[in-house]
């Protein structure tokens, strides 16, 4: 093993954190290079472990690649105050949940939903960035609606039982706002009619 940054030999690498993941089927080790001080993560897995495939919306299948998950998280968290260790943690948790819920094939929707929910617990900005790519917004209004929904939503840590941000059944904030405006407008119309009636009924 060599340092991926400066190519230092294994004896120049030290383990600073170690824990199990994938339901105990792998060991995640956080390492630091003594020579360049950079940190990186390695995994020890059994070769015979079942391989997961990611099923795209169109039906295409690709091998599970946690590096793609981390790359998506990194783009969403660009220049935000989020520790790189959080990227690995989210990828590990999503992979663990995929292994618990699926035997061989994992829908890409499941991955996107789980990553989005976990990002939302860390940073609403990162969540909106990730959602803008994952949900493929076609208009500025869709992006604004999603942003408003995130701003108005309570913190997930304060309300862990609330509907997931990525839930397909979540109400459309634009429609909800329009409905609310319609309810509030009726009393205002009645008041205007009352004022006109009073002016009309005044003696000459």
């Amino acid at each position: 093993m060599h340092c991926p940054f400066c190519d230092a030999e294994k004896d120049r690498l030290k383990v600073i954190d170690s824990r199990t993941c994938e339901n105990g089927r792998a060991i995640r080790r956080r390492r630091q290079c003594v020579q360049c001080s950079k940190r990186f993560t390695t995994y020890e897995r059994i070769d015979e472990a079942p391989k997961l495939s990611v099923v795209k919306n169109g039906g295409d299948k690709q091998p599970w690649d946690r590096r793609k998950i981390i790359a998506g998280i990194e783009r969403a968290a660009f220049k935000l105050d989020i520790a790189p260790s959080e990227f690995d943690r989210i990828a590990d948790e999503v992979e663990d949940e995929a292994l618990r819920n699926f035997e061989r094939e994992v829908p890409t929707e499941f991955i996107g939903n789980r990553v989005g929910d976990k990002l939302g617990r860390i940073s609403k900005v990162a969540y909106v960035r990730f959602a803008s790519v994952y949900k493929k917004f076609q208009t500025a209004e869709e992006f604004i609606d999603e942003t408003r929904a995130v701003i108005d939503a309570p913190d997930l840590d304060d309300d862990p039982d609330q509907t997931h941000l990525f839930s397909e059944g979540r109400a459309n904030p634009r429609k909800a706002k329009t409905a609310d405006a319609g309810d509030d407008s009726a009393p205002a119309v009645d008041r205007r009619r009352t004022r006109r009636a009073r002016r009309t009924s005044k003696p000459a």
Side-chain angles (χ1 to χ4, degrees), residues 12 34 65 78 97 111 141 176 188:
R12 302 293 293 170
V34 177
D65 189 349
F78 182 64
E97 292 174 17
I111 301 171
E141 286 76 13

Side-chain angles (χ1 to χ4, degrees), residues 3-203:
C3 172
F5 300 99
C6 69
D7 205 34
E9 296 289 342
K10 182 179 179 179
D11 58 358
R12 302 293 293 170
L13 309 178
K14 64 178 181 179
V15 177
I16 58 177
D17 180 62
S18 179
R19 62 184 177 88
T20 59
C21 60
E22 300 178 12
N23 287 332
R25 289 188 286 269
I27 298 177
R28 171 187 178 277
R29 301 191 192 278
R30 191 66 177 162
R31 302 176 184 270
Q32 183 174 26
C33 176
V34 177
Q35 183 167 297
C36 68
S37 299
K38 294 291 184 64
R39 297 183 179 186
F40 60 96
T41 302
T42 61
Y43 290 83
E44 295 179 13
R45 296 182 174 92
I46 300 175
D47 287 341
E48 291 76 18
K51 302 295 183 182
L52 291 174
S53 295
V54 178
V55 182
K56 300 284 188 177
N57 292 332
D60 294 337
K61 299 178 183 179
Q62 296 181 355
W64 180 280
D65 189 349
R66 72 185 306 276
R67 292 174 298 181
K68 291 184 178 180
I69 296 177
I70 293 179
I73 298 172
E74 288 176 340
R75 286 193 294 269
F78 182 64
K79 288 191 175 180
L80 296 179
D81 188 19
I82 301 177
S85 59
E86 290 295 303
F87 308 160
D88 290 316
R89 180 186 64 79
I90 292 176
D92 288 344
E93 291 181 357
V94 172
E95 190 168 0
D96 288 345
E97 292 174 17
L99 287 166
R100 286 198 301 269
N101 289 277
F102 303 93
E103 292 185 2
R104 296 281 184 177
E105 299 179 350
V106 185
T108 185
E109 181 180 8
F110 174 87
I111 301 171
N113 287 347
R114 302 311 302 134
V115 172
D117 285 337
K118 294 176 187 303
L119 267 180
R121 297 177 185 273
I122 300 174
S123 168
K124 290 183 177 181
V125 174
Y127 165 81
V128 172
R129 288 178 178 175
F130 182 82
S132 67
V133 175
Y134 175 78
K135 293 191 173 184
K136 299 179 180 179
F137 297 146
Q138 299 299 315
T139 65
E141 286 76 13
E142 291 177 350
F143 182 86
I144 293 172
D145 287 345
E146 189 72 23
T147 303
R148 285 174 177 162
V150 174
I151 293 173
D152 295 339
D155 290 338
L156 289 175
D157 288 337
D158 296 336
D159 187 8
D161 294 328
Q162 76 166 352
T163 302
H164 288 161
L165 289 171
F166 258 79
S167 173
E168 295 297 333
R170 179 160 56 80
N172 186 310
R174 179 172 292 276
K175 292 181 180 178
K177 183 176 181 181
T178 302
D180 291 343
D183 294 341
D184 293 340
S185 63
V189 172
D190 291 341
R191 287 195 295 271
R192 288 195 295 271
R193 289 175 178 171
T194 301
R195 287 197 295 269
R196 284 197 297 268
R198 287 175 180 173
R199 288 197 297 271
T200 304
S201 62
K202 286 183 180 180

